[in-house]
Amino acid sequence: DVKVTQSSRYLVKRTGEKVFLECVQDMDHENMFWYRQDPGLGLRLIYFSYDVKMKEKGDIPEGYSVSREKKERFSLILESASTNQTSMYLCASRERTGEWDEQYFGPGTRLTVT
Amino acid sequence: LAKTTQPISMDSYEGQEVNITCSHNNIATNDYITWYQQFPSQGPRFIIQGYKTKVTNEVASLFIPADRKSSTLSLPRVSLSDTAVYYCLVAVSGSARQLTFGSGTQLTVLP
């Protein structure tokens, strides 16, 4: 059974803190994604990685960075957390293919920045 | 970049067929259409994908007219457990940069 896990389900951080969100997949997928989900806005792509050490910005990368040192792990970093980064963060992975886009999502991390 | 428009919410009763339409007027030749389902406190789950005409699997059907400017997800005989948010996604095959999720449709199935 395919699995994407995220390091925390709930996280509370203070403004200005450096925050790490970890995502691990066990499917040997090449592509991994970070989204944030806010009420009324759906899912918005922050960053994605199409292979180890390879990354590209999504639609809303400002205030975030990512790291992918190993194929199975994709980290989202908030260098200096702000209250407008309070959100649900979802990680996903996908097997690289030219014709199929089945992403497997983790359960999400609800981050609150106070 | 193809944007999508879906109804914000829909109500249905158990046993009925539900059709959710997604509008994507600027869809490009290489774009395909994917639908995901999301339950509360869970990540989205893939339902179905198509490029044109009709696609059917054990869960749903996807109807795409010839001009591909819209698509309709059809759920046969819904049950209470189909209550969820449904997302329409339009993307270039194999690309991640142009992934765009709509804001989703909250489907509520009533007894």
Side-chain angles (χ1 to χ4, degrees):
Chain A
D1 194 19
V2 298
K3 202 164 187 180
V4 178
T5 56
Q6 296 184 227
S7 51
S8 305
R9 290 301 302 270
Y10 300 93
L11 207 54
V12 180
K13 295 292 182 181
R14 294 192 180 278
T15 301
E17 278 193 85
K18 190 169 186 176
V19 181
F20 292 87
L21 302 183
E22 304 285 342
C23 175
V24 178
Q25 51 99 359
D26 66 358
M27 297 162 283
D28 202 36
H29 285 169
E30 294 183 346
N31 298 170
M32 295 188 74
F33 308 83
W34 275 106
Y35 295 88
R36 64 177 283 177
Q37 183 172 31
D38 301 288
L41 297 177
L43 278 76
R44 294 180 291 167
L45 182 64
I46 304 172
Y47 265 97
F48 71 94
S49 169
Y50 45 92
D51 208 339
V52 175
K53 297 188 187 294
M54 310 292 268
K55 60 186 180 185
E56 281 198 30
K57 295 179 180 179
D59 295 324
I60 52 165
E62 296 78 21
Y64 304 94
S65 62
V66 290
S67 173
R68 188 147 180 226
E69 297 297 318
K70 294 185 178 181
K71 192 174 187 179
E72 67 271 18
R73 188 179 299 269
F74 192 33
S75 302
L76 180 69
I77 304 156
L78 287 66
E79 295 291 340
S80 178
S82 63
T83 54
N84 63 13
Q85 293 178 309
T86 291
S87 185
M88 171 68 81
Y89 290 87
L90 290 158
C91 174
S93 73
R94 178 184 74 180
E95 184 177 23
R96 187 171 71 179
T97 172
E99 295 185 356
W100 200 245
D101 178 48
E102 182 170 355
Q103 295 181 58
Y104 296 86
F105 282 83
T109 295
R110 184 164 294 283
L111 172 67
T112 301
V113 182
T114 61
Chain B
L1 184 61
K3 297 282 187 186
T4 59
T5 303
Q6 305 173 232
I8 294 174
S9 64
M10 295 179 68
D11 290 342
S12 181
Y13 290 95
E14 279 192 293
Q16 288 187 333
E17 178 184 73
V18 171
N19 295 309
I20 306 174
T21 297
C22 178
S23 172
H24 28 80
N25 291 321
N26 297 323
I27 191 167
T29 303
N30 293 336
D31 287 341
Y32 58 91
I33 300 142
T34 311
W35 285 81
Y36 285 80
Q37 175 192 55
Q38 186 178 25
F39 298 112
S41 301
Q42 294 184 24
R45 182 174 70 109
F46 174 92
I47 301 176
I48 197 166
Q49 177 180 279
Y51 183 79
K52 61 181 179 181
T53 63
K54 177 183 174 182
V55 179
T56 298
N57 61 22
E58 65 276 8
V59 176
S61 295
L62 177 60
F63 298 92
I64 305 169
D67 66 6
R68 304 202 324 124
K69 292 183 183 296
S70 66
S71 58
T72 299
L73 175 72
S74 181
L75 304 171
R77 296 182 297 281
V78 294
S79 64
L80 297 177
S81 63
D82 292 316
T83 292
V85 178
Y86 291 83
Y87 290 95
C88 168
L89 171 64
V90 175
V92 173
S93 175
S95 168
R97 180 63 184 90
Q98 298 181 48
L99 284 172
T100 302
F101 277 81
S103 55
T105 298
Q106 170 66 58
L107 172 66
T108 303
V109 180
L110 305 168

